[in-house]
Structure formats: structure tokens, C-alpha cells
Amino acid sequence: MTTRSPLTHLLLTGALLGGLLLTACAPSEEPEVGSSMTPPPSASAVPPSTGKPKPSLSGPVVPPPAKDGQPISVRGLVERVELEGGCTVLRADNGTTYQLMGGDPNVVKPGATVRISGRLRADIMTICQMGPVLEVDSAQPA
């Protein structure tokens, strides 16, 4: 009868575990042509129509952005965002967030729902980057 050293046992055990690990991680073989496996459903398969509109996953419908300098009038809620020293923004009813520039601080104040008329300013960059810059021409409570 032969005796093996503990080092031999350790090496044999390591080799066995390594072989099992490689076998478990090896890619599976492709099924043969004509095998009885069912193919996955086609990506182009279209479910039957129920006549109901499908829900949108993209969120609210937002109108296309106005062009630079174009006058716009929007209604929404004024908020103060404490980012990089603080920014005043308008969360408009149309789903767009505008960074406000100017306006009467007695009207354009956090928590106020207002209607603002102004112009978009694409030529201005800000630290806050909270949406297009809206230069306020006039603001009144909504």
C-alpha cells in the first residue's frame, strides 16, 4: 500500500476542482439541425390587437422646444433648487423645466404658480443646467 503526502492530496484535489470549474463554465453546444428543440419566439411576432391604445412608456407628451429668442408663455410652479449656489426653476405644466433668469422676486418666488412670458436663451450657459434658460419679460400669479 502506498501513502501519499498531504501536498499530493492538495494538488490532486485542486486539479479535480479546477477541472470541475472549467467543465461548469464551458459553453454549451449548439443543438443539431433537426433536433426536437423548439425555436425561441420571433422578435417580429406581433400580438393580436385588442383595439385599445397601448400605454406610453416615454412619459408625458412634451411640445417641441421653442427656438432661441422665440417669445413663449408658460404656466407652472416656481421652485428653488439648492445646487451650485441655488437656481430658480419653473416646472411648467407642459412637463418642461426651465431655468429662470430675471423676473420680479415678489412674483417669481418658490412655491408660487405663475404664468411667465419671456424668451428662450440658448446663448447663455449656467452652472445649474436645470433646463433651457427662460429670460423673464413678465410674470403674474396664475
PDB file of all heavy atoms in Angstrom, residues 88-132:
ATOM      1  N   THR A  88     -33.311  79.180  -9.575  1.00  0.00           N
ATOM      2  CA  THR A  88     -34.763  79.287  -9.605  1.00  0.00           C
ATOM      3  C   THR A  88     -35.232  78.661 -10.910  1.00  0.00           C
ATOM      4  O   THR A  88     -34.760  79.026 -11.993  1.00  0.00           O
ATOM      5  CB  THR A  88     -35.205  80.759  -9.525  1.00  0.00           C
ATOM      6  OG1 THR A  88     -34.637  81.328  -8.341  1.00  0.00           O
ATOM      7  CG2 THR A  88     -36.714  80.875  -9.461  1.00  0.00           C
ATOM      8  N   VAL A  89     -36.156  77.699 -10.787  1.00  0.00           N
ATOM      9  CA  VAL A  89     -36.645  76.999 -11.970  1.00  0.00           C
ATOM     10  C   VAL A  89     -38.166  77.049 -12.011  1.00  0.00           C
ATOM     11  O   VAL A  89     -38.829  77.288 -10.999  1.00  0.00           O
ATOM     12  CB  VAL A  89     -36.180  75.517 -12.002  1.00  0.00           C
ATOM     13  CG1 VAL A  89     -34.671  75.425 -12.038  1.00  0.00           C
ATOM     14  CG2 VAL A  89     -36.728  74.739 -10.838  1.00  0.00           C
ATOM     15  N   LEU A  90     -38.692  76.844 -13.191  1.00  0.00           N
ATOM     16  CA  LEU A  90     -40.137  76.743 -13.392  1.00  0.00           C
ATOM     17  C   LEU A  90     -40.422  75.337 -13.872  1.00  0.00           C
ATOM     18  O   LEU A  90     -39.906  74.914 -14.919  1.00  0.00           O
ATOM     19  CB  LEU A  90     -40.619  77.752 -14.437  1.00  0.00           C
ATOM     20  CG  LEU A  90     -42.117  77.716 -14.722  1.00  0.00           C
ATOM     21  CD1 LEU A  90     -42.887  78.314 -13.557  1.00  0.00           C
ATOM     22  CD2 LEU A  90     -42.447  78.451 -16.008  1.00  0.00           C
ATOM     23  N   ARG A  91     -41.208  74.586 -13.101  1.00  0.00           N
ATOM     24  CA  ARG A  91     -41.673  73.257 -13.522  1.00  0.00           C
ATOM     25  C   ARG A  91     -42.979  73.517 -14.263  1.00  0.00           C
ATOM     26  O   ARG A  91     -44.044  73.630 -13.666  1.00  0.00           O
ATOM     27  CB  ARG A  91     -41.915  72.338 -12.325  1.00  0.00           C
ATOM     28  CG  ARG A  91     -40.731  72.213 -11.406  1.00  0.00           C
ATOM     29  CD  ARG A  91     -39.776  71.152 -11.850  1.00  0.00           C
ATOM     30  NE  ARG A  91     -38.730  71.023 -10.823  1.00  0.00           N
ATOM     31  CZ  ARG A  91     -37.591  70.438 -11.012  1.00  0.00           C
ATOM     32  NH1 ARG A  91     -37.334  69.887 -12.169  1.00  0.00           N
ATOM     33  NH2 ARG A  91     -36.705  70.363 -10.055  1.00  0.00           N
ATOM     34  N   ALA A  92     -42.877  73.627 -15.578  1.00  0.00           N
ATOM     35  CA  ALA A  92     -44.022  74.032 -16.398  1.00  0.00           C
ATOM     36  C   ALA A  92     -45.060  72.923 -16.489  1.00  0.00           C
ATOM     37  O   ALA A  92     -44.734  71.734 -16.389  1.00  0.00           O
ATOM     38  CB  ALA A  92     -43.548  74.431 -17.792  1.00  0.00           C
ATOM     39  N   ASP A  93     -46.299  73.332 -16.695  1.00  0.00           N
ATOM     40  CA  ASP A  93     -47.402  72.378 -16.840  1.00  0.00           C
ATOM     41  C   ASP A  93     -47.215  71.455 -18.040  1.00  0.00           C
ATOM     42  O   ASP A  93     -47.763  70.365 -18.070  1.00  0.00           O
ATOM     43  CB  ASP A  93     -48.736  73.128 -16.982  1.00  0.00           C
ATOM     44  CG  ASP A  93     -49.134  73.855 -15.703  1.00  0.00           C
ATOM     45  OD1 ASP A  93     -48.524  73.583 -14.637  1.00  0.00           O
ATOM     46  OD2 ASP A  93     -50.037  74.717 -15.765  1.00  0.00           O
ATOM     47  N   ASN A  94     -46.403  71.886 -19.027  1.00  0.00           N
ATOM     48  CA  ASN A  94     -46.184  71.052 -20.219  1.00  0.00           C
ATOM     49  C   ASN A  94     -45.113  69.990 -20.008  1.00  0.00           C
ATOM     50  O   ASN A  94     -44.776  69.262 -20.914  1.00  0.00           O
ATOM     51  CB  ASN A  94     -45.840  71.925 -21.434  1.00  0.00           C
ATOM     52  CG  ASN A  94     -44.493  72.615 -21.310  1.00  0.00           C
ATOM     53  OD1 ASN A  94     -43.708  72.353 -20.401  1.00  0.00           O
ATOM     54  ND2 ASN A  94     -44.222  73.530 -22.235  1.00  0.00           N
ATOM     55  N   GLY A  95     -44.557  69.903 -18.775  1.00  0.00           N
ATOM     56  CA  GLY A  95     -43.571  68.878 -18.468  1.00  0.00           C
ATOM     57  C   GLY A  95     -42.131  69.328 -18.603  1.00  0.00           C
ATOM     58  O   GLY A  95     -41.216  68.601 -18.247  1.00  0.00           O
ATOM     59  N   THR A  96     -41.897  70.527 -19.098  1.00  0.00           N
ATOM     60  CA  THR A  96     -40.542  71.041 -19.275  1.00  0.00           C
ATOM     61  C   THR A  96     -40.113  71.812 -18.038  1.00  0.00           C
ATOM     62  O   THR A  96     -40.919  72.490 -17.416  1.00  0.00           O
ATOM     63  CB  THR A  96     -40.475  71.972 -20.504  1.00  0.00           C
ATOM     64  OG1 THR A  96     -40.948  71.259 -21.646  1.00  0.00           O
ATOM     65  CG2 THR A  96     -39.065  72.442 -20.776  1.00  0.00           C
ATOM     66  N   THR A  97     -38.844  71.707 -17.693  1.00  0.00           N
ATOM     67  CA  THR A  97     -38.273  72.507 -16.616  1.00  0.00           C
ATOM     68  C   THR A  97     -37.432  73.598 -17.254  1.00  0.00           C
ATOM     69  O   THR A  97     -36.582  73.315 -18.096  1.00  0.00           O
ATOM     70  CB  THR A  97     -37.399  71.646 -15.694  1.00  0.00           C
ATOM     71  OG1 THR A  97     -38.209  70.632 -15.116  1.00  0.00           O
ATOM     72  CG2 THR A  97     -36.761  72.471 -14.588  1.00  0.00           C
ATOM     73  N   TYR A  98     -37.687  74.846 -16.859  1.00  0.00           N
ATOM     74  CA  TYR A  98     -36.937  75.993 -17.365  1.00  0.00           C
ATOM     75  C   TYR A  98     -36.142  76.591 -16.221  1.00  0.00           C
ATOM     76  O   TYR A  98     -36.650  76.709 -15.100  1.00  0.00           O
ATOM     77  CB  TYR A  98     -37.878  77.073 -17.912  1.00  0.00           C
ATOM     78  CG  TYR A  98     -38.700  76.629 -19.088  1.00  0.00           C
ATOM     79  CD1 TYR A  98     -39.994  76.158 -18.925  1.00  0.00           C
ATOM     80  CD2 TYR A  98     -38.189  76.699 -20.382  1.00  0.00           C
ATOM     81  CE1 TYR A  98     -40.754  75.750 -20.000  1.00  0.00           C
ATOM     82  CE2 TYR A  98     -38.953  76.302 -21.471  1.00  0.00           C
ATOM     83  CZ  TYR A  98     -40.228  75.823 -21.272  1.00  0.00           C
ATOM     84  OH  TYR A  98     -40.976  75.419 -22.344  1.00  0.00           O
ATOM     85  N   GLN A  99     -34.916  77.009 -16.486  1.00  0.00           N
ATOM     86  CA  GLN A  99     -34.168  77.777 -15.500  1.00  0.00           C
ATOM     87  C   GLN A  99     -34.505  79.237 -15.748  1.00  0.00           C
ATOM     88  O   GLN A  99     -34.344  79.738 -16.857  1.00  0.00           O
ATOM     89  CB  GLN A  99     -32.673  77.537 -15.628  1.00  0.00           C
ATOM     90  CG  GLN A  99     -31.919  78.261 -14.540  1.00  0.00           C
ATOM     91  CD  GLN A  99     -30.453  77.906 -14.516  1.00  0.00           C
ATOM     92  OE1 GLN A  99     -30.044  76.882 -15.025  1.00  0.00           O
ATOM     93  NE2 GLN A  99     -29.670  78.770 -13.906  1.00  0.00           N
ATOM     94  N   LEU A 100     -35.005  79.914 -14.717  1.00  0.00           N
ATOM     95  CA  LEU A 100     -35.481  81.283 -14.874  1.00  0.00           C
ATOM     96  C   LEU A 100     -34.347  82.285 -14.681  1.00  0.00           C
ATOM     97  O   LEU A 100     -33.496  82.128 -13.808  1.00  0.00           O
ATOM     98  CB  LEU A 100     -36.598  81.569 -13.883  1.00  0.00           C
ATOM     99  CG  LEU A 100     -37.851  80.701 -14.043  1.00  0.00           C
ATOM    100  CD1 LEU A 100     -38.862  81.018 -12.944  1.00  0.00           C
ATOM    101  CD2 LEU A 100     -38.473  80.894 -15.413  1.00  0.00           C
ATOM    102  N   MET A 101     -34.394  83.321 -15.500  1.00  0.00           N
ATOM    103  CA  MET A 101     -33.440  84.418 -15.396  1.00  0.00           C
ATOM    104  C   MET A 101     -34.246  85.708 -15.333  1.00  0.00           C
ATOM    105  O   MET A 101     -34.984  86.041 -16.267  1.00  0.00           O
ATOM    106  CB  MET A 101     -32.516  84.424 -16.627  1.00  0.00           C
ATOM    107  CG  MET A 101     -31.425  85.473 -16.549  1.00  0.00           C
ATOM    108  SD  MET A 101     -30.282  85.364 -17.945  1.00  0.00           S
ATOM    109  CE  MET A 101     -31.178  86.280 -19.184  1.00  0.00           C
ATOM    110  N   GLY A 102     -34.129  86.393 -14.207  1.00  0.00           N
ATOM    111  CA  GLY A 102     -34.838  87.651 -14.044  1.00  0.00           C
ATOM    112  C   GLY A 102     -36.246  87.443 -13.512  1.00  0.00           C
ATOM    113  O   GLY A 102     -36.605  86.365 -13.034  1.00  0.00           O
ATOM    114  N   GLY A 103     -37.035  88.510 -13.595  1.00  0.00           N
ATOM    115  CA  GLY A 103     -38.409  88.469 -13.105  1.00  0.00           C
ATOM    116  C   GLY A 103     -38.527  89.120 -11.730  1.00  0.00           C
ATOM    117  O   GLY A 103     -37.555  89.192 -10.975  1.00  0.00           O
ATOM    118  N   ASP A 104     -39.701  89.596 -11.422  1.00  0.00           N
ATOM    119  CA  ASP A 104     -39.990  90.246 -10.143  1.00  0.00           C
ATOM    120  C   ASP A 104     -39.912  89.204  -9.027  1.00  0.00           C
ATOM    121  O   ASP A 104     -40.699  88.262  -8.999  1.00  0.00           O
ATOM    122  CB  ASP A 104     -41.381  90.871 -10.206  1.00  0.00           C
ATOM    123  CG  ASP A 104     -41.771  91.612  -8.947  1.00  0.00           C
ATOM    124  OD1 ASP A 104     -41.016  91.536  -7.943  1.00  0.00           O
ATOM    125  OD2 ASP A 104     -42.828  92.262  -8.959  1.00  0.00           O
ATOM    126  N   PRO A 105     -38.989  89.370  -8.063  1.00  0.00           N
ATOM    127  CA  PRO A 105     -38.852  88.372  -7.000  1.00  0.00           C
ATOM    128  C   PRO A 105     -40.073  88.290  -6.089  1.00  0.00           C
ATOM    129  O   PRO A 105     -40.236  87.302  -5.378  1.00  0.00           O
ATOM    130  CB  PRO A 105     -37.608  88.833  -6.226  1.00  0.00           C
ATOM    131  CG  PRO A 105     -37.355  90.234  -6.631  1.00  0.00           C
ATOM    132  CD  PRO A 105     -37.991  90.440  -7.961  1.00  0.00           C
ATOM    133  N   ASN A 106     -40.953  89.296  -6.128  1.00  0.00           N
ATOM    134  CA  ASN A 106     -42.198  89.230  -5.344  1.00  0.00           C
ATOM    135  C   ASN A 106     -43.230  88.325  -6.013  1.00  0.00           C
ATOM    136  O   ASN A 106     -44.171  87.878  -5.372  1.00  0.00           O
ATOM    137  CB  ASN A 106     -42.780  90.625  -5.129  1.00  0.00           C
ATOM    138  CG  ASN A 106     -41.880  91.483  -4.265  1.00  0.00           C
ATOM    139  OD1 ASN A 106     -41.342  91.008  -3.267  1.00  0.00           O
ATOM    140  ND2 ASN A 106     -41.678  92.723  -4.672  1.00  0.00           N
ATOM    141  N   VAL A 107     -43.067  88.060  -7.312  1.00  0.00           N
ATOM    142  CA  VAL A 107     -43.989  87.192  -8.056  1.00  0.00           C
ATOM    143  C   VAL A 107     -43.328  85.840  -8.338  1.00  0.00           C
ATOM    144  O   VAL A 107     -43.926  84.785  -8.115  1.00  0.00           O
ATOM    145  CB  VAL A 107     -44.425  87.866  -9.388  1.00  0.00           C
ATOM    146  CG1 VAL A 107     -45.331  86.941 -10.182  1.00  0.00           C
ATOM    147  CG2 VAL A 107     -45.099  89.198  -9.118  1.00  0.00           C
ATOM    148  N   VAL A 108     -42.088  85.896  -8.828  1.00  0.00           N
ATOM    149  CA  VAL A 108     -41.356  84.682  -9.181  1.00  0.00           C
ATOM    150  C   VAL A 108     -40.619  84.208  -7.923  1.00  0.00           C
ATOM    151  O   VAL A 108     -39.436  84.454  -7.745  1.00  0.00           O
ATOM    152  CB  VAL A 108     -40.367  84.946 -10.336  1.00  0.00           C
ATOM    153  CG1 VAL A 108     -39.638  83.664 -10.716  1.00  0.00           C
ATOM    154  CG2 VAL A 108     -41.083  85.522 -11.540  1.00  0.00           C
ATOM    155  N   LYS A 109     -41.357  83.536  -7.044  1.00  0.00           N
ATOM    156  CA  LYS A 109     -40.778  83.063  -5.785  1.00  0.00           C
ATOM    157  C   LYS A 109     -41.155  81.601  -5.576  1.00  0.00           C
ATOM    158  O   LYS A 109     -42.194  81.141  -6.076  1.00  0.00           O
ATOM    159  CB  LYS A 109     -41.242  83.921  -4.615  1.00  0.00           C
ATOM    160  CG  LYS A 109     -42.736  83.988  -4.450  1.00  0.00           C
ATOM    161  CD  LYS A 109     -43.114  84.975  -3.373  1.00  0.00           C
ATOM    162  CE  LYS A 109     -44.627  85.095  -3.297  1.00  0.00           C
ATOM    163  NZ  LYS A 109     -45.038  86.117  -2.369  1.00  0.00           N
ATOM    164  N   PRO A 110     -40.320  80.861  -4.857  1.00  0.00           N
ATOM    165  CA  PRO A 110     -40.579  79.436  -4.655  1.00  0.00           C
ATOM    166  C   PRO A 110     -41.967  79.170  -4.078  1.00  0.00           C
ATOM    167  O   PRO A 110     -42.418  79.860  -3.173  1.00  0.00           O
ATOM    168  CB  PRO A 110     -39.479  79.007  -3.669  1.00  0.00           C
ATOM    169  CG  PRO A 110     -38.380  79.991  -3.885  1.00  0.00           C
ATOM    170  CD  PRO A 110     -39.078  81.286  -4.222  1.00  0.00           C
ATOM    171  N   GLY A 111     -42.648  78.181  -4.683  1.00  0.00           N
ATOM    172  CA  GLY A 111     -43.978  77.791  -4.244  1.00  0.00           C
ATOM    173  C   GLY A 111     -45.103  78.486  -4.994  1.00  0.00           C
ATOM    174  O   GLY A 111     -46.259  78.085  -4.890  1.00  0.00           O
ATOM    175  N   ALA A 112     -44.770  79.526  -5.767  1.00  0.00           N
ATOM    176  CA  ALA A 112     -45.799  80.277  -6.495  1.00  0.00           C
ATOM    177  C   ALA A 112     -46.106  79.602  -7.830  1.00  0.00           C
ATOM    178  O   ALA A 112     -45.208  79.132  -8.528  1.00  0.00           O
ATOM    179  CB  ALA A 112     -45.330  81.702  -6.743  1.00  0.00           C
ATOM    180  N   THR A 113     -47.389  79.554  -8.171  1.00  0.00           N
ATOM    181  CA  THR A 113     -47.803  79.112  -9.503  1.00  0.00           C
ATOM    182  C   THR A 113     -47.976  80.383 -10.318  1.00  0.00           C
ATOM    183  O   THR A 113     -48.742  81.280  -9.932  1.00  0.00           O
ATOM    184  CB  THR A 113     -49.115  78.314  -9.441  1.00  0.00           C
ATOM    185  OG1 THR A 113     -48.903  77.176  -8.601  1.00  0.00           O
ATOM    186  CG2 THR A 113     -49.526  77.838 -10.818  1.00  0.00           C
ATOM    187  N   VAL A 114     -47.249  80.469 -11.425  1.00  0.00           N
ATOM    188  CA  VAL A 114     -47.198  81.706 -12.204  1.00  0.00           C
ATOM    189  C   VAL A 114     -47.353  81.431 -13.686  1.00  0.00           C
ATOM    190  O   VAL A 114     -47.207  80.301 -14.152  1.00  0.00           O
ATOM    191  CB  VAL A 114     -45.854  82.443 -11.975  1.00  0.00           C
ATOM    192  CG1 VAL A 114     -45.711  82.901 -10.536  1.00  0.00           C
ATOM    193  CG2 VAL A 114     -44.672  81.585 -12.375  1.00  0.00           C
ATOM    194  N   ARG A 115     -47.671  82.513 -14.407  1.00  0.00           N
ATOM    195  CA  ARG A 115     -47.626  82.496 -15.875  1.00  0.00           C
ATOM    196  C   ARG A 115     -46.512  83.457 -16.244  1.00  0.00           C
ATOM    197  O   ARG A 115     -46.523  84.610 -15.848  1.00  0.00           O
ATOM    198  CB  ARG A 115     -48.935  82.940 -16.498  1.00  0.00           C
ATOM    199  CG  ARG A 115     -48.813  83.044 -18.018  1.00  0.00           C
ATOM    200  CD  ARG A 115     -50.110  82.976 -18.769  1.00  0.00           C
ATOM    201  NE  ARG A 115     -50.845  81.752 -18.609  1.00  0.00           N
ATOM    202  CZ  ARG A 115     -50.585  80.597 -19.238  1.00  0.00           C
ATOM    203  NH1 ARG A 115     -49.551  80.513 -20.040  1.00  0.00           N
ATOM    204  NH2 ARG A 115     -51.338  79.544 -19.045  1.00  0.00           N
ATOM    205  N   ILE A 116     -45.550  82.927 -16.999  1.00  0.00           N
ATOM    206  CA  ILE A 116     -44.376  83.709 -17.366  1.00  0.00           C
ATOM    207  C   ILE A 116     -44.317  83.871 -18.867  1.00  0.00           C
ATOM    208  O   ILE A 116     -44.510  82.915 -19.618  1.00  0.00           O
ATOM    209  CB  ILE A 116     -43.080  83.029 -16.851  1.00  0.00           C
ATOM    210  CG1 ILE A 116     -43.060  83.077 -15.336  1.00  0.00           C
ATOM    211  CG2 ILE A 116     -41.846  83.671 -17.463  1.00  0.00           C
ATOM    212  CD1 ILE A 116     -41.850  82.462 -14.704  1.00  0.00           C
ATOM    213  N   SER A 117     -44.058  85.102 -19.287  1.00  0.00           N
ATOM    214  CA  SER A 117     -43.776  85.387 -20.696  1.00  0.00           C
ATOM    215  C   SER A 117     -42.315  85.780 -20.780  1.00  0.00           C
ATOM    216  O   SER A 117     -41.820  86.551 -19.947  1.00  0.00           O
ATOM    217  CB  SER A 117     -44.662  86.534 -21.203  1.00  0.00           C
ATOM    218  OG  SER A 117     -46.015  86.142 -21.174  1.00  0.00           O
ATOM    219  N   GLY A 118     -41.643  85.238 -21.757  1.00  0.00           N
ATOM    220  CA  GLY A 118     -40.232  85.545 -21.888  1.00  0.00           C
ATOM    221  C   GLY A 118     -39.660  84.968 -23.162  1.00  0.00           C
ATOM    222  O   GLY A 118     -40.399  84.605 -24.077  1.00  0.00           O
ATOM    223  N   ARG A 119     -38.343  84.890 -23.191  1.00  0.00           N
ATOM    224  CA  ARG A 119     -37.637  84.392 -24.373  1.00  0.00           C
ATOM    225  C   ARG A 119     -36.628  83.341 -23.947  1.00  0.00           C
ATOM    226  O   ARG A 119     -35.969  83.487 -22.925  1.00  0.00           O
ATOM    227  CB  ARG A 119     -36.904  85.529 -25.075  1.00  0.00           C
ATOM    228  CG  ARG A 119     -37.830  86.580 -25.608  1.00  0.00           C
ATOM    229  CD  ARG A 119     -37.051  87.660 -26.354  1.00  0.00           C
ATOM    230  NE  ARG A 119     -37.957  88.696 -26.793  1.00  0.00           N
ATOM    231  CZ  ARG A 119     -38.724  88.616 -27.869  1.00  0.00           C
ATOM    232  NH1 ARG A 119     -38.688  87.547 -28.613  1.00  0.00           N
ATOM    233  NH2 ARG A 119     -39.520  89.600 -28.209  1.00  0.00           N
ATOM    234  N   LEU A 120     -36.515  82.300 -24.759  1.00  0.00           N
ATOM    235  CA  LEU A 120     -35.513  81.277 -24.503  1.00  0.00           C
ATOM    236  C   LEU A 120     -34.145  81.815 -24.904  1.00  0.00           C
ATOM    237  O   LEU A 120     -34.013  82.499 -25.918  1.00  0.00           O
ATOM    238  CB  LEU A 120     -35.811  80.002 -25.287  1.00  0.00           C
ATOM    239  CG  LEU A 120     -37.033  79.236 -24.825  1.00  0.00           C
ATOM    240  CD1 LEU A 120     -37.218  77.986 -25.650  1.00  0.00           C
ATOM    241  CD2 LEU A 120     -36.938  78.872 -23.361  1.00  0.00           C
ATOM    242  N   ARG A 121     -33.147  81.494 -24.102  1.00  0.00           N
ATOM    243  CA  ARG A 121     -31.792  81.991 -24.336  1.00  0.00           C
ATOM    244  C   ARG A 121     -30.815  80.829 -24.442  1.00  0.00           C
ATOM    245  O   ARG A 121     -30.256  80.386 -23.450  1.00  0.00           O
ATOM    246  CB  ARG A 121     -31.383  82.919 -23.189  1.00  0.00           C
ATOM    247  CG  ARG A 121     -32.226  84.170 -23.032  1.00  0.00           C
ATOM    248  CD  ARG A 121     -31.975  85.166 -24.160  1.00  0.00           C
ATOM    249  NE  ARG A 121     -30.575  85.502 -24.289  1.00  0.00           N
ATOM    250  CZ  ARG A 121     -29.980  86.521 -23.667  1.00  0.00           C
ATOM    251  NH1 ARG A 121     -30.682  87.308 -22.880  1.00  0.00           N
ATOM    252  NH2 ARG A 121     -28.693  86.746 -23.845  1.00  0.00           N
ATOM    253  N   ALA A 122     -30.615  80.327 -25.641  1.00  0.00           N
ATOM    254  CA  ALA A 122     -29.666  79.232 -25.866  1.00  0.00           C
ATOM    255  C   ALA A 122     -28.230  79.735 -25.871  1.00  0.00           C
ATOM    256  O   ALA A 122     -27.291  78.948 -25.815  1.00  0.00           O
ATOM    257  CB  ALA A 122     -29.975  78.531 -27.178  1.00  0.00           C
ATOM    258  N   ASP A 123     -28.049  81.064 -25.913  1.00  0.00           N
ATOM    259  CA  ASP A 123     -26.703  81.628 -25.935  1.00  0.00           C
ATOM    260  C   ASP A 123     -26.121  81.792 -24.532  1.00  0.00           C
ATOM    261  O   ASP A 123     -24.990  82.226 -24.379  1.00  0.00           O
ATOM    262  CB  ASP A 123     -26.714  82.981 -26.650  1.00  0.00           C
ATOM    263  CG  ASP A 123     -27.618  84.003 -25.948  1.00  0.00           C
ATOM    264  OD1 ASP A 123     -28.660  83.592 -25.402  1.00  0.00           O
ATOM    265  OD2 ASP A 123     -27.285  85.204 -25.966  1.00  0.00           O
ATOM    266  N   ILE A 124     -26.883  81.402 -23.496  1.00  0.00           N
ATOM    267  CA  ILE A 124     -26.427  81.534 -22.114  1.00  0.00           C
ATOM    268  C   ILE A 124     -26.227  80.145 -21.524  1.00  0.00           C
ATOM    269  O   ILE A 124     -27.109  79.302 -21.610  1.00  0.00           O
ATOM    270  CB  ILE A 124     -27.461  82.315 -21.266  1.00  0.00           C
ATOM    271  CG1 ILE A 124     -27.592  83.737 -21.801  1.00  0.00           C
ATOM    272  CG2 ILE A 124     -27.064  82.306 -19.800  1.00  0.00           C
ATOM    273  CD1 ILE A 124     -28.649  84.545 -21.092  1.00  0.00           C
ATOM    274  N   MET A 125     -25.055  79.947 -20.904  1.00  0.00           N
ATOM    275  CA  MET A 125     -24.790  78.698 -20.195  1.00  0.00           C
ATOM    276  C   MET A 125     -24.789  79.012 -18.704  1.00  0.00           C
ATOM    277  O   MET A 125     -24.334  80.067 -18.291  1.00  0.00           O
ATOM    278  CB  MET A 125     -23.458  78.108 -20.626  1.00  0.00           C
ATOM    279  CG  MET A 125     -23.470  77.783 -22.102  1.00  0.00           C
ATOM    280  SD  MET A 125     -22.276  76.601 -22.630  1.00  0.00           S
ATOM    281  CE  MET A 125     -22.642  75.181 -21.726  1.00  0.00           C
ATOM    282  N   THR A 126     -25.305  78.069 -17.911  1.00  0.00           N
ATOM    283  CA  THR A 126     -25.372  78.282 -16.474  1.00  0.00           C
ATOM    284  C   THR A 126     -24.687  77.142 -15.742  1.00  0.00           C
ATOM    285  O   THR A 126     -24.474  76.067 -16.301  1.00  0.00           O
ATOM    286  CB  THR A 126     -26.834  78.360 -16.002  1.00  0.00           C
ATOM    287  OG1 THR A 126     -27.431  77.079 -16.172  1.00  0.00           O
ATOM    288  CG2 THR A 126     -27.617  79.407 -16.770  1.00  0.00           C
ATOM    289  N   ILE A 127     -24.402  77.380 -14.478  1.00  0.00           N
ATOM    290  CA  ILE A 127     -23.798  76.340 -13.651  1.00  0.00           C
ATOM    291  C   ILE A 127     -24.831  75.270 -13.327  1.00  0.00           C
ATOM    292  O   ILE A 127     -24.534  74.092 -13.302  1.00  0.00           O
ATOM    293  CB  ILE A 127     -23.229  76.955 -12.356  1.00  0.00           C
ATOM    294  CG1 ILE A 127     -22.045  77.838 -12.698  1.00  0.00           C
ATOM    295  CG2 ILE A 127     -22.823  75.886 -11.362  1.00  0.00           C
ATOM    296  CD1 ILE A 127     -21.476  78.602 -11.539  1.00  0.00           C
ATOM    297  N   CYS A 128     -26.077  75.674 -13.098  1.00  0.00           N
ATOM    298  CA  CYS A 128     -27.112  74.726 -12.656  1.00  0.00           C
ATOM    299  C   CYS A 128     -27.535  73.752 -13.740  1.00  0.00           C
ATOM    300  O   CYS A 128     -27.820  72.605 -13.456  1.00  0.00           O
ATOM    301  CB  CYS A 128     -28.328  75.479 -12.152  1.00  0.00           C
ATOM    302  SG  CYS A 128     -27.985  76.380 -10.633  1.00  0.00           S
ATOM    303  N   GLN A 129     -27.618  74.191 -14.973  1.00  0.00           N
ATOM    304  CA  GLN A 129     -28.032  73.343 -16.088  1.00  0.00           C
ATOM    305  C   GLN A 129     -29.319  72.592 -15.774  1.00  0.00           C
ATOM    306  O   GLN A 129     -29.409  71.374 -15.879  1.00  0.00           O
ATOM    307  CB  GLN A 129     -26.911  72.376 -16.459  1.00  0.00           C
ATOM    308  CG  GLN A 129     -25.655  73.073 -16.880  1.00  0.00           C
ATOM    309  CD  GLN A 129     -24.541  72.128 -17.254  1.00  0.00           C
ATOM    310  OE1 GLN A 129     -24.750  70.949 -17.447  1.00  0.00           O
ATOM    311  NE2 GLN A 129     -23.342  72.642 -17.360  1.00  0.00           N
ATOM    312  N   MET A 130     -30.346  73.326 -15.379  1.00  0.00           N
ATOM    313  CA  MET A 130     -31.628  72.735 -14.995  1.00  0.00           C
ATOM    314  C   MET A 130     -32.660  72.814 -16.111  1.00  0.00           C
ATOM    315  O   MET A 130     -33.837  72.706 -15.861  1.00  0.00           O
ATOM    316  CB  MET A 130     -32.175  73.449 -13.749  1.00  0.00           C
ATOM    317  CG  MET A 130     -31.356  73.233 -12.498  1.00  0.00           C
ATOM    318  SD  MET A 130     -31.339  71.539 -11.932  1.00  0.00           S
ATOM    319  CE  MET A 130     -33.052  71.242 -11.601  1.00  0.00           C
ATOM    320  N   GLY A 131     -32.240  73.013 -17.323  1.00  0.00           N
ATOM    321  CA  GLY A 131     -33.161  73.109 -18.445  1.00  0.00           C
ATOM    322  C   GLY A 131     -32.842  74.354 -19.247  1.00  0.00           C
ATOM    323  O   GLY A 131     -31.920  75.097 -18.925  1.00  0.00           O
ATOM    324  N   PRO A 132     -33.635  74.606 -20.298  1.00  0.00           N
ATOM    325  CA  PRO A 132     -33.380  75.803 -21.099  1.00  0.00           C
ATOM    326  C   PRO A 132     -33.548  77.057 -20.238  1.00  0.00           C
ATOM    327  O   PRO A 132     -34.400  77.105 -19.353  1.00  0.00           O
ATOM    328  CB  PRO A 132     -34.444  75.753 -22.204  1.00  0.00           C
ATOM    329  CG  PRO A 132     -35.258  74.542 -21.972  1.00  0.00           C
ATOM    330  CD  PRO A 132     -34.751  73.828 -20.777  1.00  0.00           C
TER     331      PRO A 132
END
